[in-house]
Amino acid sequence: MLFENWAAFFKPHKTVPITPWRADHRWQLSFSRVCILTFGLAIFGLGDSLLVQGDVGNAPWTVFSQGLTFKMGLSIGWATFFISIFVLLIWIPLGEKPGFGTLSNIVLIATFIEIGTNIFPKQSSVLVGIVYSLVGIAMVGLGSALYITCGLGPGPRDGAMTGIHYKTGVRVGRVRMGIELVVLTIGWLMGGRVGIGTALFALLIGQSVAIFLGIVARLTNR
């Protein structure tokens, strides 16, 4: 019975739940809502920094950015910027609109990745690197669930995920996994670095987001 209860608690959610802190529109700000958004984006950024410091393979979007730097001679920062602009253009046919959370995503995630890479030591052990990656994936899932449910507008990549989900009805986790696998493949073909951590992220991030969406839904009884 205890195992069944725990299994039910961690069951992935099929959609984005409506939470008590969800905004009615993407510029409806309140102190508590902005705090939850900021905390979620901070956890996301720190989780991503664990993947970097684990040194067993970066997240697919970072692989994509690296590949673009090799092909176009850009820095990773500029490559990430142009990729974000391109992904925002994909929002147009999906009917997604940017909001306060979209802009916060761009600034805060980058800030906390920088903080995390200066706090967490870089690993030379593959085993510890894998642990870093798994913890990082869980943190990115938690952070995503928190800031998406604020309703202040997802980041460029999550906006594409939720937009495709709403248009097609395909589960959030499956949409996210599909996007990550496509990005990973393109980045790898352009020369981006791929490793065990990259594969783990591509395979597990969709379920991580869906599981934490489910936890948020059950904790708020929605």
Side-chain angles (χ1 to χ4, degrees), residues 1-165:
M1 181 63 69
L2 181 61
F3 174 78
E4 292 178 355
N5 290 337
W6 277 104
F9 183 74
F10 287 101
K11 183 179 179 181
H13 211 55
K14 296 180 180 180
T15 188
V16 179
I18 298 175
T19 59
W21 56 80
R22 182 173 180 175
D24 293 328
H25 59 79
R26 296 185 173 186
W27 293 94
Q28 184 184 32
L29 307 182
S30 70
F31 179 75
S32 60
R33 189 174 295 121
V34 171
C35 285
I36 293 171
L37 174 74
T38 301
F39 180 69
L41 292 174
I43 292 297
F44 187 115
L46 292 174
D48 212 352
S49 73
L50 280 175
L51 284 154
V52 174
Q53 295 302 91
D55 203 30
V56 290
N58 293 320
W61 285 100
T62 305
V63 175
F64 190 20
S65 295
Q66 288 175 331
L68 199 58
T69 64
F70 296 147
K71 290 296 182 181
M72 302 186 66
L74 300 170
S75 69
I76 287 186
W78 278 109
T80 302
F81 173 78
F82 286 122
I83 289 171
S84 296
I85 296 298
F86 173 75
V87 175
L88 281 175
L89 292 176
I90 296 176
W91 284 27
I92 297 173
L94 295 175
E96 289 288 319
K97 297 179 180 179
F100 180 81
T102 310
L103 303 180
S104 299
N105 179 288
I106 296 169
V107 175
L108 292 177
I109 288 180
T111 299
F112 280 95
I113 288 175
E114 184 69 20
I115 292 172
T117 52
N118 284 296
I119 292 176
F120 303 125
K122 194 167 186 176
Q123 298 302 309
S124 57
S125 165
V126 174
L127 181 59
V128 177
I130 291 174
V131 172
Y132 263 45
S133 295
L134 292 174
V135 174
I137 291 167
M139 291 176 66
V140 170
L142 171 59
S144 297
L146 288 175
Y147 87 77
I148 289 174
T149 54
C150 286
L152 293 174
R157 297 150 191 168
D158 286 308
M161 175 187 72
T162 55
I164 293 172
H165 161 67

